[in-house]
Amino acid sequence: MRAWRWYAGLGLGAVAAGGFLPVMPRQALYSLVGASAAVAVAVGTRRYRPAERRSWRLFAGAIWCSVLAAAAWAVQFAIAGSVGFPAVKDLAFVASYTMMALSILAWVRPDPQRPRGERFIDSGIVTAGVAALSWTFIAHPLLFRQHLPGTQAAGHLTYSLFDLVLVVLTARMIFTTSGRGPAQSLVSWAFCTFITGDVVYYASLAWTGDPAGDRVSTVLYLCAYILLGTAALHPSMAQAAGRPERSQQVIPRHRIYLYSVLALIGPAVAIAVLLVAERGTSRWQVVVPLATSVVASVLLVARLSQLVRLANRRVRELDAHAVALGAALREQEALRHQLSHRALHDALTGLGNRALLHERLEHALTRTTATHGLLLLDLDGFKDVNDTYGHPSGDALLIEVAARLLGVVENSDTLVRLGGDEFAILLEDAGAARVSRVGHLVIEELDRPFLVHERELVVTASVGSLLFAAPATPSEALRNADLALYAAKAAGKNRLVGYEPRLASERTEHMRVAADLRRAVAGEEFSVNYQPVVDLRTGRVTAVEALLRWTRDGQPIPPLDFIPVAEQYGLIVPIGAWVLHRACRDVRAWHERFGISVTVNVSGRQLREPDFAGTVVSALREAGLPGSALILEITESVLVSAGPATDEVTALLAGLRAEGVRIAVDDFGTGYSSLAYLRHLPVDILKIDRAFTPVGGLAEELAFTRAIVELGNSLRLSAIAEAVETPEQAERLRRMDCPQAQGFHFSRPLPAAELDAVLTASGGILRGTTPSAAAGAA
C-alpha cells in the first residue's frame, strides 16, 4: 500500500481516539499529529519535488507554529491549571494563521489579464454569508454576554477575523484553481475542516466561556492535519500547487444555489433574532447580519455585472462571427462553383474534361430513340513537339488546337480534352453523315500549320468515330471510339476510321497475344533461329543473324504478329535481353571454330533503357565472347525517330563500340535522312533492305543497289545485302563489289543444332545453291 494510504489510515485511528481523551492527552495527541503532518509535508516535498514549493513550505511552517503554540498551552495548563490569554504563545498562533493565509494565496497563480477585484467576488459572497453566522454565534456573544474580559474577547475576535480571511482565500482557491487532482481536493477539505473546527471552538467559547475547548473541535483539527499530511504524501501533489487561475465567468448551477442560500443568511438571522429577541436586545445583533446581506447583495450585483459584460461581449463576438460566417459562406459558395467548374473542365484549354464527357454521355443515353456520334482524336507528332521545343510550346500548341476545334463544333456539341493530346467531341442527335463530316473537318483544320511562339509547327490528327445509341453505356461508347482511334493510328495516322465490330475482336486477340507473351516471357517459351551472313567472294560464313521464334499452342506465330505487341507493352525489353544472352551463348563455339560473329536486332524501346549497355556487356561476359563477336542491328526508322534523343543514342552506341561491339543499320535505304545519320552516328555496317536487292537486270534496280554499295565503300562501311534468294542475285551483287549477303540462297534460318551440323559439314563455307537446285527449291 502507498505511504499516503498508510498515513491516512493511521491518522483516522488517531482522530477517532482524540475525541475521547481528557484535556492533556488530547493536547499531546494534537501536538503529535501536527508534528507528523509537518514531517509528511517535508517528506512529500522532497520525494515528489513540486515545481511550486512555496505553498507546501508555508504549510509546514504554519503546522510547526501551531504545534509549538499548542505545546506551550499544554505546559501552562499543566503547571497553573489554567491558561492566560492573550499571552506570548499567541504569537505562534498568529504566525500560524498568517502562514496559512499566505500558503493559500500562493496556491493559485493569478491571471495578470484578469482584474484583481474580480478574483475575490465569488469568495466574498461566501464570506459574507459566513460572516453573518460568525457574528451571530461568535462575535456578538463574546462582546455582549460578558463571559470573558474585554481583552480576551478582543483576542478571540481577532482569531475569528483570521478565520474570515481564510474563508475568503479558501473559497478563491476552490473556485479558481484549474486543477482537480486528489492532492488539491485533500488540501481544500483540510482548510474547510480547520475553519469549521475554529468555528466550533469559538462558538463553544462564546457561549460557555470555557477556553479548554471541546472534543468536536479537537477531532476537526486532527482531521485537518491528517488531510494535509495525506495530500503531501500523494503523488499528485507535484502538480497541485501553482496552477494558473481559471477564469470561470459563467456560474455553474450548483453555485447559484449556494449563493442564493448565502445571500439569505443575513436576513434570515435578523428575522430570527427579532422573533425571539428579549427586551434590551442589542440592535447590533440585527444590524450586522443585515449589513452582511447588503455586502453579499453588492457582490452579487457585481457578479451579475460581470455576466452582463460577458454577455455583451459574447453578443458582439457572435455578431462578428455571424458577419464572418456570412462572408465565409459566400466565399464557400463561390469556391464551390469554382471547384465544380474545375472538376468538369480542363485547366489548360478551358474545355470540358473526361468527367464532363461522361456526364453528357449518360444524359445522351437517356434518350433511347436518338443516335449520337462520338469522335476521339489524338495529335500525331505532338510528342516530338514536346521533346524538341519543351512543354511550354506543347501547352501553347494544345491551346491553339482547342481554339480550332471550337470553330468546328456547334454550341450543342460537347468538346472536351481527355488528357495529354487526346480530345473528344460528342455530337448529340447526329447521324452518320454529320459524324463523318465533322471528323474530316477536324483533320483538315489540324492539318494546317500552327504558329506557336513565332515558330511554325505541324501536327496531324488521327480520329476514331462511333455512331451509338441506347442501351450502350458511356464506358462502352468510349471503348469503341478508342478502338477506332487505335485503328486510325495503325492505318498510318492523319485519317478518320469508323468503329466496326471486328475492331473489338481484333483488340481482344491483341490483348490475348499480350497475355500469352507475358506467360511466354516468364516460361521462356521462345527459341532462336540463325541465318548465316556469307562473304560473297569466298563463301565463308562471317556472321549469323539471331531471329526470334515463338510457338503458341503448337503453332508458330509470325514475328510481325507479336513483335509490335511486345513493343507496345514493353515486353520487348525482357525478350530482347533474353535473345541477347541466348545468342551470345550459342555463337561462342562458332566464333572459336570459324570466327563467326552474331547480329542481334535491337528495338528503339531497348535503346531507351538506362541499363541497356550494361545488359550487352553482361551478355558478352557471361558467354565469354569478345565485343567484336557481337553486332547490334538497329533499323534506320528507329534512328530517324530518335529525334532530340539522338545525342543520347549516339553516346550509347559510342560506348558500346568502345567495348568492341559493332553497329549495323538495318533496312538501310528506307529512311528519309540516311546520309545525315551516317555522318553523325557511330555505324560500322549497312544492311541493304530487300527492296534494293536486285531481282532482275533492270538498270534502275541495279543503279539503286550500286549507289548504296558505293556509298558504304566510300564511307568505309561494310554492306550486307538481305533477301538474296537466287544465284543470279548473288552474282549481280558480287559484280557490284557488295562484300556480304544473306538469304535463302545460302541458307534458311535454322535452329542452333541444325546450323552447327551445316557449319561442321561445310567447314564454315556456304557458296549457295546452284541455279538448278534453286529452281527445284522454288
Side-chain angles (χ1 to χ4, degrees):
M1 186 180 293
R2 297 181 179 180
W4 66 271
R5 292 180 177 173
W6 278 100
Y7 184 82
L10 294 174
L12 289 177
V15 169
F20 301 97
L21 296 176
V23 174
M24 288 305 296
R26 191 165 64 216
Q27 287 298 110
L29 180 62
Y30 179 89
S31 299
L32 179 62
V33 172
S36 71
V39 171
V41 170
V43 170
T45 304
R46 182 179 180 84
R47 180 177 182 182
Y48 298 113
R49 300 183 181 275
E52 174 56 52
R53 302 187 182 186
R54 182 173 47 177
S55 294
W56 293 104
R57 289 171 178 170
L58 288 171
F59 284 160
I63 295 172
W64 282 120
C65 288
S66 179
V67 168
L68 178 62
W73 189 96
V75 170
Q76 186 177 5
F77 185 84
I79 294 173
S82 62
V83 179
F85 182 82
V88 176
K89 65 174 179 16
D90 289 290
L91 294 176
F93 276 126
V94 171
S96 176
Y97 276 94
T98 303
M99 290 183 182
M100 281 192 284
L102 292 175
S103 66
I104 303 175
L105 185 64
W107 186 267
V108 180
R109 188 169 73 247
D111 182 2
Q113 297 181 351
R114 186 180 184 188
R116 184 173 298 177
E118 289 186 2
R119 302 171 187 164
F120 297 97
I121 290 178
D122 291 340
S123 56
I125 296 172
V126 175
T127 305
V130 174
L133 296 174
S134 178
W135 170 261
T136 302
F137 295 102
I138 298 175
H140 185 270
L142 286 174
L143 291 174
F144 297 100
R145 288 183 176 270
Q146 300 179 355
H147 290 294
L148 298 172
T151 56
Q152 292 186 13
H156 290 307
L157 286 176
T158 302
Y159 284 118
S160 295
L161 291 176
F162 272 123
D163 285 335
L164 291 179
V165 172
L166 292 180
V167 169
V168 172
L169 296 176
T170 303
R172 171 182 173 266
M173 177 181 69
I174 295 173
F175 290 160
T176 63
T177 185
S178 58
R180 286 293 183 267
Q184 162 71 27
S185 300
L186 289 169
V187 170
S188 300
W189 278 108
F191 277 96
C192 291
T193 305
F194 179 82
I195 294 170
T196 304
D198 267 1
V199 169
V200 172
Y201 174 81
Y202 288 111
S204 174
L205 176 66
W207 290 89
T208 65
D210 182 9
D214 66 302
R215 301 178 187 277
V216 175
S217 61
T218 301
V219 170
L220 292 173
Y221 289 143
L222 293 175
C223 281
Y225 284 147
I226 296 300
L227 290 171
L228 274 178
T230 304
L233 293 174
H234 196 279
S236 63
M237 67 89 65
Q239 292 84 30
R243 287 182 176 270
E245 185 178 33
R246 177 174 52 129
S247 178
Q248 192 174 30
Q249 295 178 325
V250 178
I251 304 175
R253 180 175 298 179
H254 66 274
R255 202 181 298 176
I256 293 176
Y257 298 150
L258 175 63
Y259 292 167
S260 301
V261 172
L262 292 171
L264 293 174
I265 288 178
V269 169
I271 293 172
V273 170
L274 291 175
L275 290 177
V276 301
E278 301 173 354
R279 182 177 296 273
T281 300
S282 172
R283 61 184 179 182
W284 295 105
Q285 197 170 359
V286 177
V287 170
V288 173
L290 290 178
T292 61
S293 68
V294 171
V295 172
S297 299
V298 171
L299 293 175
L300 285 172
V301 170
R303 194 68 171 90
L304 181 61
S305 67
Q306 281 185 342
L307 296 177
V308 170
R309 289 197 302 271
L310 174 63
N312 291 334
R313 186 168 66 251
R314 291 288 176 86
V315 168
R316 290 192 297 271
E317 291 175 355
L318 289 175
D319 288 341
H321 288 164
V323 173
L325 181 59
L329 289 175
R330 289 190 296 271
E331 183 180 352
Q332 184 181 17
E333 183 66 17
L335 181 61
R336 188 182 67 80
H337 285 296
Q338 184 180 3
L339 291 176
S340 177
H341 182 271
R342 287 186 179 182
L344 298 175
H345 290 79
D346 175 54
L348 177 64
T349 62
L351 301 178
N353 59 13
R354 186 180 295 272
L356 179 63
L357 176 63
H358 198 276
E359 182 179 292
R360 296 289 173 84
L361 282 170
E362 287 182 339
H363 176 265
L365 289 171
T366 58
R367 303 200 305 276
T368 57
T369 59
T371 58
H372 315 286
L374 179 61
L375 298 173
L376 289 189
L377 62 109
D378 186 275
L379 300 181
D380 308 322
F382 178 75
K383 183 178 182 300
D384 293 336
V385 173
N386 266 343
D387 293 342
T388 305
Y389 304 112
H391 288 279
S393 295
D395 291 344
L397 175 61
L398 290 174
I399 295 173
E400 293 296 325
V401 168
R404 289 196 188 179
L405 292 176
L406 285 171
V408 173
V409 300
E410 299 178 357
N411 293 334
S412 59
D413 301 329
T414 301
L415 171 62
V416 303
R417 178 182 174 223
L418 297 178
D421 61 336
E422 192 172 5
F423 297 82
I425 302 174
L426 174 62
L427 308 173
E428 298 188 45
D429 299 317
R434 182 163 185 261
V435 173
S436 177
R437 179 173 59 82
V438 173
H440 285 99
L441 280 175
V442 167
I443 294 175
E444 293 173 7
E445 283 294 321
L446 301 187
D447 196 40
R448 295 186 289 109
F450 292 86
L451 186 62
V452 175
H453 296 166
E454 300 181 355
R455 184 184 292 114
E456 188 175 277
L457 301 178
V458 177
V459 294
T460 58
S462 298
V463 184
S465 67
L466 170 70
L467 196 66
F468 67 97
T473 63
S475 299
E476 182 182 356
L478 285 169
R479 182 196 63 196
N480 292 341
D482 190 60
L483 289 174
L485 173 61
Y486 182 84
K489 284 186 158 302
K493 305 181 180 179
N494 193 28
R495 66 191 64 217
L496 172 69
V497 172
Y499 171 77
E500 299 177 17
R502 65 174 180 82
L503 295 177
S505 59
E506 290 175 359
R507 187 65 174 174
T508 301
E509 175 61 21
H510 185 88
M511 297 296 293
R512 193 167 72 88
V513 170
D516 290 345
L517 271 176
R518 288 190 176 91
R519 287 192 295 271
V521 170
E524 296 188 358
E525 299 176 4
F526 300 104
S527 60
V528 179
N529 287 357
Y530 299 93
Q531 187 173 39
V533 177
V534 177
D535 187 316
L536 287 174
R537 293 190 303 272
T538 64
R540 184 176 65 85
V541 178
T542 61
V544 291
E545 180 177 3
L547 300 172
L548 180 65
R549 295 293 183 262
W550 179 34
T551 301
R552 183 182 68 176
D553 299 331
Q555 297 293 325
I557 308 299
L560 291 178
D561 289 351
F562 70 86
I563 293 295
V565 179
E567 287 270 8
Q568 180 180 354
Y569 290 96
L571 298 173
I572 196 65
V573 174
I575 292 175
W578 179 85
V579 171
L580 189 61
H581 283 78
R582 177 62 179 270
C584 288
R585 288 197 304 269
D586 287 347
V587 84
R588 176 181 175 180
W590 303 333
H591 180 74
E592 292 175 349
R593 293 163 57 195
F594 306 109
I596 294 175
S597 302
V598 62
T599 68
V600 179
N601 291 278
V602 176
S603 72
R605 182 68 177 268
Q606 289 175 271
L607 291 177
R608 292 194 294 271
E609 288 296 309
D611 60 341
F612 176 69
T615 301
V616 173
V617 173
S618 172
L620 288 170
R621 290 177 179 172
E622 288 180 8
L625 278 179
S628 58
L630 176 63
I631 302 170
L632 298 181
E633 288 191 23
I634 305 170
T635 62
E636 188 178 3
S637 60
V638 169
L639 295 176
V640 170
S641 63
T646 302
D647 293 340
E648 287 80 358
V649 172
T650 302
L652 171 64
L653 298 182
L656 290 173
R657 291 185 76 202
E659 296 288 338
V661 178
R662 287 174 287 171
I663 308 300
V665 179
D666 199 11
D667 300 334
F668 183 78
T670 58
Y672 57 82
S673 300
S674 302
L675 295 179
Y677 279 91
L678 285 179
R679 196 167 68 243
H680 295 294
L681 291 175
V683 175
D684 302 284
I685 300 170
L686 302 180
K687 297 199 73 173
I688 303 172
D689 186 74
R690 65 172 57 244
F692 299 102
T693 300
V695 177
L698 295 177
E700 293 82 357
E701 285 185 343
L702 298 176
F704 278 113
T705 307
R706 183 176 290 106
I708 295 174
V709 172
E710 292 178 355
L711 174 65
N713 291 335
S714 64
L715 295 177
R716 297 181 180 179
L717 301 177
S718 179
I720 300 176
E722 295 183 299
V724 177
E725 299 181 356
T726 65
E728 291 78 15
Q729 288 177 308
E731 183 61 28
R732 293 190 188 98
L733 290 168
R734 192 178 294 110
R735 291 173 184 173
M736 294 179 190
D737 290 331
C738 181
Q740 300 176 89
Q742 71 180 92
F744 285 0
H745 171 62
F746 302 103
S747 174
R748 294 177 179 272
L750 298 173
E754 295 183 19
L755 180 60
D756 184 73
V758 171
L759 292 174
T760 300
S762 64
I765 296 177
L766 298 177
R767 299 191 179 276
T769 58
T770 62
S772 59

